[in-house]
Amino acid sequence: MTDKWAAEFRLSITRALADQLETTLRPLKPTPLTAANLSAVLSRPGVYALFFNERRVYVGKAAGSLQDRLTQHLRKLSGRAGLDSAAVRFVCVYVDEDLDAAAPEKLLIKKYREHDSIPWNTNGFGNKDPGRNRDTSVVKAAHFDATYPIDLEYQCRPEPGMQSVAAVLEAAKGQLPYLLRFDSGAAAKKTYRDALMVVPAQPLAARDLAQQLVAALPAGWQLTALPGYLILYQERRRYASALGWWRRELGGDVQYTPGPRQFAAGAVDAETADVSAADAGSLFELDA
């Protein structure tokens, strides 16, 4: 038993850093996440917090440029259905120290979770391209992509006139605020170059662009709208969580099939965000 005249002291540098960061962030007034406001953010490293409907939902860091990282978030949010990006606000703190070594966002997440849930830090909001192997995953119902799927009415402006599918794909990839991934093999690239399509002068909704792309390609190509992104491959496949897919059979017109939009129960794994196809059981199957 410790004597009354003695005590123990344990110095926690990480706790002190988290407290100082939170103290610096606390008095800041969240401002709308708009291009105009982001133009005033410096291209310096730091940490930031996002708020949605007046609630803190995400804490992150930018090891390079806060302006670039926040602009990426604005772009992503602008292409989501059911989410008003005007309701998203942010605050940020410039940090010149080694962010990777200090991991300040992890310290803040831990601190904020003592009182808040910070839901977007655990629902896959910050995830990037999960890769081809995860396209067949059944998305969790709590995932950001399930709650706010991609907006297929988002307008694209490819160069009008007669264009190769290759040119239109590259234009759409740069303009869409969500991922458009397509087969990059040598045979596929040749097919894209050889296939031609007429692009109208007026903007095209993503769903209309998908229809026209598949119509320009040989039979057997399928463009699928998954909850968080678009994929284009030569396949005949049913995706359990898909919003839908466009496909043209030999000698026929392009057919749009609404997706099952099936989602798995349970909490989202912050690292993988989905349940694997192997665990999905009957929720995933290939069309006959």
Side-chain angles (χ1 to χ4, degrees):
M1 180 174 182
T2 305
D3 293 331
K4 293 181 180 179
W5 48 263
E8 292 187 21
F9 173 73
R10 295 181 181 178
L11 177 63
S12 175
I13 300 298
T14 57
R15 184 177 182 85
L17 176 57
D19 289 343
Q20 289 182 44
L21 283 171
E22 194 278 332
T23 299
T24 304
L25 283 163
R26 190 188 309 152
L28 299 179
K29 182 180 180 180
T31 191
L33 187 69
T34 63
N37 286 334
L38 291 180
S39 67
V41 176
L42 301 180
S43 295
R44 290 173 54 190
V47 295
Y48 60 91
L50 298 182
F51 298 79
F52 181 52
N53 292 333
E54 310 301 327
R55 176 190 179 189
R56 185 188 297 106
V57 293
Y58 188 79
V59 176
K61 75 169 182 181
S65 168
L66 275 167
Q67 185 184 79
D68 290 348
R69 184 61 174 148
L70 288 167
T71 299
Q72 290 171 5
H73 288 323
L74 174 60
R75 177 177 169 81
K76 178 172 184 174
L77 293 170
S78 69
R80 296 293 167 149
L83 188 153
D84 181 5
S85 59
V88 179
R89 296 173 178 264
F90 77 96
V91 294
C92 64
V93 171
Y94 301 112
V95 182
D96 289 326
E97 285 76 9
D98 186 348
L99 290 183
D100 289 329
E105 86 285 5
K106 294 182 180 178
L107 300 177
L108 283 171
I109 289 170
K110 182 177 180 180
K111 185 171 185 63
Y112 284 138
R113 278 186 185 164
E114 296 174 0
H115 309 286
D116 303 316
S117 61
I118 327 179
W120 291 6
N121 277 101
T122 56
N123 73 355
F125 167 71
N127 288 11
K128 303 204 175 177
D129 186 358
R132 180 61 171 154
N133 290 336
R134 297 199 64 81
D135 289 345
T136 55
S137 297
V138 179
V139 178
K140 292 290 186 70
H143 196 285
F144 182 85
D145 292 341
T147 306
Y148 305 110
I150 58 175
D151 182 6
L152 294 176
E153 300 305 323
Y154 190 89
Q155 302 286 298
C156 299
R157 295 176 179 269
E159 188 71 24
M162 185 69 74
Q163 302 287 340
S164 68
V165 166
V168 175
L169 283 173
E170 286 302 323
K173 185 176 180 179
Q175 293 177 19
L176 287 170
Y178 40 79
L179 173 70
L180 167 59
R181 184 181 356 102
F182 41 86
D183 189 344
S184 59
K189 287 181 177 179
K190 183 178 186 306
T191 299
Y192 304 152
R193 291 193 298 269
D194 293 343
L196 300 176
M197 58 185 287
V198 178
V199 179
Q202 66 270 23
L204 280 171
R207 67 169 63 254
D208 297 327
L209 180 62
Q211 178 92 10
Q212 294 194 22
L213 281 167
V214 174
L217 289 168
W221 284 83
Q222 178 175 316
L223 196 155
T224 304
L226 295 168
Y229 52 101
L230 300 173
I231 57 173
L232 174 65
Y233 291 94
Q234 194 169 18
E235 62 183 0
R236 192 171 189 271
R237 177 169 286 180
R238 176 185 184 275
Y239 292 86
S241 295
L243 309 181
W245 51 82
W246 293 262
R247 182 180 172 82
R248 184 169 68 83
E249 302 294 353
L250 186 63
D253 295 328
V254 176
Q255 298 294 321
Y256 173 71
T257 302
R261 300 195 184 204
Q262 294 175 320
F263 302 106
V268 178
D269 183 334
E271 295 297 325
T272 60
D274 299 323
V275 66
S276 69
D279 296 332
S282 61
L283 291 182
F284 167 75
E285 62 183 7
L286 291 177
D287 279 344

